[in-house]
Amino acid sequence: MVFKKMLSAFGVGGPSVDTVLTNPNTRPGLSLDGHVNLVGGDAPASIEQISISLVTRVEVESGGSEYAGMMEFHRMPVSGRLELAPKQQLSIPFQFPIPWETPVTDVYGHRLHGMTMGLRTEVAVARAVDKGDLDHVAVHPLPIHERILEAFQALGFRFKHADLERGHIYGVQQTLPFYQEIEFFAAPQYAQAVNEVELTFVTSPQGVEVILECDKRGGFFTGGQDVIGRYAVPHSDASRTDWVQVVDGWLRETTSRYGSLRAQGYGMPPGGHYPPQGHYAPQGHYGHQGHQGHRGSGMGGMLAAGALGVVGGMVAGELIEDAFEGFGDDDGGDE
C-alpha cells in the first residue's frame, strides 16, 4: 500500500504496518511473496503475532435469503512474539502458498465482474487484534482453466457474472468452504435448449474437476430444470489442441441427459447443490482424479510454476478478451 497504516490497537503515536507484495499476481498452486514492514511508534510495543490471510467475498444463503460477506479462507503466521523499539524499522519476508482451489479473479488482465480478493495483515497485541493492511491480489487461471475458458469463447458463450457460493458441491471433495460459479449466457447454437451455463472448477495438484450446470429451458407444458455434468481432467491435458470439441461434447452430453433423468424421477438432492455421483454426474472421458488437499508438489506444481509468465500480457489474451465483455474492476468489497 502507498501509505503505512497506523495500528489502531496502539492508539495515536503507535507503530504502523505496511505489507508489500513482490507481485500481486498469482495462480492456484503458486505463492505470494513479499514483506511485512513495521515502523515503531513513539513508545516501545510488544507484538504477540503477525499473520497474513486471504479474504474474499462469498454469497451465503440463510433462511431463504442470500447475502454477501467477506470470508477469510487461508491464513499463515509470519512472525511470533517480538518487541518493537520506538522508531525501529523491521521488514519480515514471507512466502505465502496459494491453495489449489483458490478461485480465479482475473482473466488476461481483466477482473471477473463479481470477484474480489485481498491479502490481509493482522497484528495481534495484548487483548486486541488489529486488521492492519489489506492488499489487492489477482488470481489468474492455470493453463487447463485457460483452455476451457477459451473453448467457451470460441463456442460463442458470453460471460455474465462470477461469484462464490458458500458450501460444498455434492459428491466432490473440497478443501475450501466455498466454490466458484462462472456464469455464461448460452451461445446461439445452444439457445433453444439452455438459458445459461454455470462453470465450476475444483482444482487439485493432479488436475481439475469441471462441473457444468445448465439452466434448461422449459417447454410449453413443462418447466425448466438445471442439469449437471461433471468431468475430470488432468493438468497434462492442457496442451490438447481441440478443447472446443471436448467442451461442446460435454455440453451436449449434459443437456441431452435431461429427458432420461426426468423419466427416471431424479431430482436435486435435499440440501445439496449437485446430484450424487453415479446418477447424472459422470466422471467424464478422462477418469476421476484424486484430491490431496490444497498444497502439493510434483507435476501439477511444475505446471503451475511454469505457467505464470508475465501475467496480464499473454498473447492468448486477445483470443478471449472480446468474449468477456462483463469484465471490469469490481468496485465492491474492502479493497
Side-chain angles (χ1 to χ4, degrees), residues 219-243:
F220 187 75
F221 295 105
T222 61
Q225 180 176 333
D226 292 348
V227 289
I228 310 299
R230 177 177 157 197
Y231 305 91
V233 186
H235 289 291
S236 57
D237 270 10
S239 59
R240 292 176 64 97
T241 58
D242 199 354
W243 274 104

Side-chain angles (χ1 to χ4, degrees), residues 180-208:
Q180 183 176 32
E181 291 183 337
I182 303 174
E183 302 175 19
F184 295 91
F185 293 110
Q189 66 268 35
Y190 307 96
Q192 293 299 316
V194 176
N195 290 311
E196 299 174 357
V197 174
E198 294 178 354
L199 168 66
T200 294
F201 296 123
V202 180
T203 309
S204 75
Q206 292 74 37
V208 59

Side-chain angles (χ1 to χ4, degrees), residues 257-271:
R257 198 175 299 119
Y258 173 69
S260 61
L261 292 172
R262 190 172 179 198
Q264 298 174 48
Y266 288 133
M268 299 300 286

Side-chain angles (χ1 to χ4, degrees), residues 33-70:
D33 301 341
H35 290 78
V36 176
N37 299 320
L38 294 169
V39 178
D42 297 334
S46 296
I47 296 174
E48 296 180 350
Q49 186 181 65
I50 301 174
S51 300
I52 55 176
S53 61
L54 284 174
V55 295
T56 189
R57 188 171 57 202
V58 178
E59 301 288 335
V60 180
E61 293 185 6
S62 177
S65 61
E66 187 173 79
Y67 64 92
M70 296 300 290

